[in-house]
Amino acid sequence: MRKLFMLLLMLLPVVARAEPPVILPIKLLDTSYEAKDQVQDHQRRLDLMASVLAEELPGTVLGREEVQAACVRETTDCLIDLLKSRGAERGVFIVVQKSSTLILQIFANVVDVGQGRLITHRELNFRGDNDEAWRRAGRFLARQLREAG
């Protein structure tokens, strides 16, 4: 069955198969001012969300180290150039803002790398600063981005 499916995919016109997007490292803007140091937990959750998006879209996740090496200041122009150098057609830029332990918001942009224009923008809220909440938010965001085209 799998071989038949793969054969059918190969027969589809090239135009019908868009390249998977390249997902830049997700950023966190923590404006909660909580006393507890949560840097390690948040980094793990950012990576968790990126991996969920890569599975659900599917897509390729750029590593933080690669982005830092290429774009020390991480300006938009530099990030777009990095995506172009990777042969990406679309790039996904995501920032999660944490207002409190219970309230987080996702700002997601999908950009046409060649044209340098915005394809899709989504703003989503989710509740709970724990692994399961971040995982569900990643799945929901992936669904939103898929439906947007």
Side-chain angles (χ1 to χ4, degrees):
M1 182 72 163
R2 182 179 172 108
K3 288 181 183 180
L4 176 61
F5 179 73
M6 294 304 289
L7 178 62
L8 289 173
L9 278 178
M10 290 173 52
L11 295 176
L12 288 173
V14 174
V15 176
R17 289 185 279 171
E19 288 291 320
V22 175
I23 303 163
L24 290 157
I26 301 171
K27 297 292 185 182
L28 176 69
L29 176 60
D30 188 349
T31 57
S32 68
Y33 301 110
E34 293 177 349
K36 181 181 174 189
D37 180 8
Q38 300 174 35
V39 172
Q40 288 182 331
D41 288 338
H42 286 146
Q43 196 55 64
R44 186 183 72 255
R45 290 179 184 135
L46 291 167
D47 293 341
L48 172 67
M49 182 177 279
S51 67
V52 167
L53 288 169
E55 289 172 13
E56 298 279 330
L57 286 177
T60 302
V61 178
L62 283 185
R64 244 181 305 303
E65 298 80 19
E66 180 180 355
V67 171
Q68 270 296 308
C71 301
V72 176
R73 295 183 54 208
E74 294 190 30
T75 64
T76 304
D77 289 340
C78 186
L79 293 171
I80 293 291
D81 288 343
L82 174 60
L83 291 170
K84 284 179 184 175
S85 74
R86 293 287 308 258
E89 293 177 9
R90 293 174 293 145
V92 181
F93 294 75
I94 301 170
V95 175
V96 176
Q97 180 180 5
K98 178 180 175 181
S99 300
S100 72
T101 300
L102 294 177
I103 302 171
L104 296 99
Q105 188 169 14
I106 301 172
F107 301 91
N109 292 314
V110 179
V111 174
D112 179 313
V113 173
Q115 301 283 324
R117 68 176 178 81
L118 182 66
I119 297 172
T120 303
H121 172 77
R122 290 290 182 269
E123 292 183 22
L124 310 169
N125 293 307
F126 68 101
R127 301 293 179 257
D129 190 15
N130 58 56
D131 291 358
E132 186 55 31
W134 283 71
R135 187 177 292 109
R136 281 188 299 208
R139 285 188 194 120
F140 185 78
L141 176 59
R143 205 167 38 249
Q144 292 291 307
L145 295 176
R146 273 195 318 267
E147 290 171 5

